[in-house]
Amino acid sequence: MTIIEADYADIFAGKPDQLGARTQDLGAAADAIAEATNALNDLVDGQKSDAIDAISSVAVETRSALTGAERRYRGTAAALKEFAIALAPIQATARRAIESAQYYEKQTYSIQSGLSKNQNDTTRAEALGQPTDDLRDEYLQLNRRLGTAMQSVEDARKTLHTARDDIRTAADRAIAAIETAIADGADSFADNWNQFWGGVGDVFAAIGKWVGEVLTVVVSKLIDIIAAVLGVLLVVLMLVFAIVAAIALIGVLLVAPELLIPMLLSVAAVVALFVATLVAIRVASDVQKLTPTVRPYKPDHVVEASGLDGVFNEAGSVDVEGGADKTVVKIEKIVQADGTVSWRVVLPSTQDWQALASTMSGKDFELFQAMKDSGAVNDVDSNMALVLFPSLRTQYERATLEAMDQAGIKGGPNGDPVMLVGFSQGGILAGHLAAYRSNDYNFGAVVVCGAPIDNMPIPDRTRVISVQHEGDPVPQLDFFTPPPTRPNWQTITDTAPGNPTDVAQIHQIDQYDGTLEKHLPDLGDVHDLDHFFGGSTSYTETEYYAWQE
């Protein structure tokens, strides 16, 4: 799926042929209801007896309900038919616009390559003292063609925007018609709900989608609140237990000192149980939530990397772009002159420390607010899940894969080569994806710093460059696993610039950037990674994507 296809995929969500078939089914159901109503009329009308009188009131109510149901079915069928008739030509126009945009986008790549070659030929001719008039004419012609192609792509996008608006207008008309049909024949809220969504909602999903979205948001918020409440209860219980344990330890120390060590071991076991339970609750609250909505994002500042020496600057920039409010990733597409495509995906580190806010900041945080989870998904919860439970799929992981899909990266182990870049938690996710999702994408390289990835089963086909500072506790979170000694894996270990006892300086992206630049010669030949960066003979497209809980 290309980028433009992903951008306008919603236009093709509705299926006019299926809507037409369902319209016929609803019409047939309305006819059957009408026949049942007539049969009931014939059964009751004209009959006189005590038995008939006894059931006549029930029959009248039943007949009224059948009449209302018939109106609902016929009204819904008419609305669906009108929508299906409007949808088909809109989608046909949109498909032609997609094809036009794809055609001219390919032309722009070819023309860009031609311009680059023209400039090289011109430079060579000038150096040799040869005439350049023909090359100048060719340059002007290529520029005009490029302008025409880019304008054609823009015109196609305008057509697609119009198609999207036309579909929404038609959908609004259909929704209004269906709401009128339901209101006119309403028996009860439950009756309307069950009959409409049970009989129509499965087909008319494009119109009814908003209901599901509202409900899923509510469920997601409930999960967050429940996790927060349970977390608060555990913290309160831990505080109560700590007070009781302290009193008990003092008593044991005064009365029976020989029981102090068993008592301390018991307290440690209970504390460990509390902590494990709290971690399980926080992790579950993350992995049980729905994948956040991923949207294209316009960054305040774009930081480009022309080679390995700039990748950690990119990682720092996405941290700044997203902060604690949202998660931002950068995805760059690199198209070589021969048409081959590679990608570089830059992942942010932990920015949302809300779950630990009350212990990590001097600010006055309410305990309940601290335990709630909102904002960026590159947070403490997903950190714990990635390190402790790699088989679970966090919001961070799922949304990142969704962003890669939206960008148009060709998936599968033989798809487009992808380089993953990350610092700290961004590096953890980079290693995690390469190790556990290698069938989803062709992860050709992983470049990380300050990340505990040494024990991750990253396949041999993925080149790994990991930078670690001595004294940085974060890379040791993989239980002090030593760096692998494999042909595809290179680990740079050095003391951090600055104060070697200041953890805040040791685990810092700018310091890691300096360490990588210092040790680039130690990596040997890195030309196999050149295709992950733009150059004089390549064309690049940069997209940013953002999401939040």
Side-chain angles (χ1 to χ4, degrees):
M1 179 181 289
T2 63
I3 293 177
I4 196 167
E5 285 177 316
D7 287 345
Y8 297 97
D10 57 297
I11 294 177
F12 305 102
K15 305 295 182 184
D17 53 345
Q18 294 182 11
L19 288 173
R22 189 57 177 169
T23 298
Q24 294 177 356
D25 293 342
L26 292 170
D31 291 339
I33 291 171
E35 292 178 6
T37 304
N38 293 333
L40 190 61
N41 287 336
D42 294 340
L43 178 66
V44 176
D45 290 348
Q47 302 296 324
K48 295 294 181 181
S49 72
D50 292 340
I52 291 298
D53 290 341
I55 66 168
S56 73
S57 61
V58 176
V60 169
E61 292 178 3
T62 304
R63 184 168 54 196
S64 175
L66 287 172
T67 302
E70 179 191 358
R71 284 199 297 269
R72 287 194 292 276
Y73 274 84
R74 290 203 189 280
T76 300
L80 287 178
K81 183 177 181 181
E82 179 183 351
F83 182 72
I85 292 172
L87 183 61
I90 296 174
Q91 289 184 336
T93 300
R95 286 192 181 92
R96 290 193 294 270
I98 290 283
E99 292 170 359
S100 175
Q102 290 174 331
Y103 171 77
Y104 284 109
E105 274 189 335
K106 289 180 180 178
Q107 275 203 347
T108 60
Y109 302 151
S110 174
I111 296 170
Q112 289 275 8
S113 178
L115 282 169
S116 177
K117 182 178 182 301
N118 174 274
Q119 291 174 344
N120 291 336
D121 291 344
T122 301
T123 302
R124 190 181 302 109
E126 289 175 344
L128 297 174
Q130 298 174 348
T132 59
D133 293 343
D134 291 343
L135 289 170
R136 176 61 180 173
D137 292 340
E138 181 188 37
Y139 176 81
L140 294 174
Q141 182 184 12
L142 287 170
N143 257 325
R144 285 193 294 270
R145 287 179 57 201
L146 180 61
T148 300
M150 294 177 69
Q151 183 59 50
S152 298
V153 173
E154 182 61 27
D155 291 343
R157 284 187 174 273
K158 289 179 180 178
T159 299
L160 290 165
H161 276 296
T162 301
R164 178 179 283 159
D165 291 340
D166 290 344
I167 288 177
R168 288 172 178 169
T169 300
D172 287 341
R173 287 198 303 267
I175 290 172
I178 292 172
E179 288 175 345
T180 300
I182 292 176
D184 287 346
D187 292 326
S188 67
F189 173 80
D191 181 55
N192 292 338
W193 181 268
N194 292 332
Q195 291 191 44
F196 173 66
W197 292 111
V200 184
D202 56 332
V203 178
F204 207 42
I207 295 177
K209 183 180 178 182
W210 67 271
V211 176
E213 290 176 346
V214 170
L215 291 177
T216 52
V217 169
V218 171
V219 171
S220 181
K221 292 299 181 184
L222 284 175
I223 292 174
D224 191 17
I225 292 172
I226 291 170
V229 170
L230 291 176
V232 169
L233 288 175
L234 276 173
V235 172
V236 172
L237 287 174
M238 285 182 65
L239 292 174
V240 172
F241 175 78
I243 294 172
V244 173
I247 295 172
L249 286 172
I250 293 173
V252 167
L253 186 62
L254 295 175
V255 178
E258 68 276 6
L259 297 179
L260 182 61
I261 293 179
M263 188 72 173
L264 287 173
L265 293 175
S266 300
V267 170
V270 174
V271 170
L273 179 61
F274 272 121
V275 172
T277 304
L278 184 59
V279 168
I281 290 172
R282 299 304 306 179
V283 169
S285 73
D286 184 276
V287 300
Q288 291 297 324
K289 290 181 182 177
L290 296 174
T291 303
T293 301
V294 178
R295 295 185 176 90
Y297 172 78
K298 184 177 181 180
D300 294 329
H301 303 285
V302 176
V303 175
E304 295 290 352
S306 58
L308 276 177
D309 55 345
V311 294
F312 293 156
N313 276 334
E314 282 187 313
S317 72
V318 293
D319 282 350
V320 174
E321 287 291 338
D325 296 329
K326 57 185 175 292
T327 301
V328 175
V329 301
K330 175 184 179 181
I331 300 181
E332 183 160 294
K333 178 181 181 181
I334 303 96
V335 183
Q336 304 297 334
D338 61 0
T340 57
V341 178
S342 302
W343 302 78
R344 188 172 69 259
V345 179
V346 185
L347 306 166
S349 65
T350 307
Q351 296 299 307
D352 182 358
W353 297 91
Q354 191 171 13
L356 300 179
S358 58
T359 60
M360 295 185 63
S361 171
K363 295 181 180 179
D364 183 20
F365 286 95
E366 292 183 7
L367 184 57
F368 182 76
Q369 286 300 118
M371 296 305 296
K372 287 176 67 178
D373 201 8
S374 60
V377 300
N378 45 316
D379 56 11
V380 176
D381 297 340
S382 60
N383 235 332
M384 292 187 293
L386 287 169
V387 174
L388 299 175
F389 309 101
S391 62
L392 300 178
R393 293 198 172 221
T394 62
Q395 296 179 87
Y396 188 8
E397 175 190 341
R398 286 178 275 129
T400 297
L401 293 175
E402 171 64 21
M404 292 170 64
D405 182 63
Q406 288 190 25
I409 301 178
K410 182 180 178 182
N414 298 316
D416 297 336
V418 178
M419 171 186 280
L420 298 171
V421 177
F423 159 64
S424 195
Q425 186 182 9
I428 296 174
L429 180 59
H432 173 89
L433 291 174
Y436 301 102
R437 310 295 177 233
S438 56
N439 287 329
D440 294 346
Y441 287 96
N442 176 15
F443 296 113
V446 170
V447 183
V448 303
C449 60
I453 67 168
D454 291 338
N455 65 352
M456 293 185 181
I458 299 175
D460 292 337
R461 63 183 174 87
T462 302
R463 180 164 185 178
V464 180
I465 297 175
S466 174
V467 185
Q468 301 179 10
H469 282 157
E470 295 176 357
D472 186 348
V474 177
Q476 307 305 320
L477 292 177
D478 55 4
F479 307 105
F480 298 92
T481 303
T485 54
R486 291 158 50 188
N488 67 312
W489 200 302
Q490 291 176 282
T491 301
I492 296 172
T493 303
D494 199 354
T495 56
N499 186 351
T501 63
D502 186 348
V503 176
Q505 284 191 24
I506 295 173
H507 188 73
Q508 215 266 353
I509 185 65
D510 292 338
Q511 305 283 25
Y512 271 112
D513 179 64
T515 300
L516 175 61
E517 187 173 357
K518 172 184 174 182
H519 287 276
L520 275 178
D522 300 337
L523 295 175
D525 186 6
V526 292
H527 289 301
D528 58 312
L529 302 179
D530 288 348
H531 62 104
F532 291 114
F533 302 93
S536 60
T537 60
S538 62
Y539 169 77
T540 62
E541 290 181 2
T542 302
E543 295 286 347
Y544 286 76
Y545 295 88
W547 59 88
Q548 59 189 164
E549 294 188 76

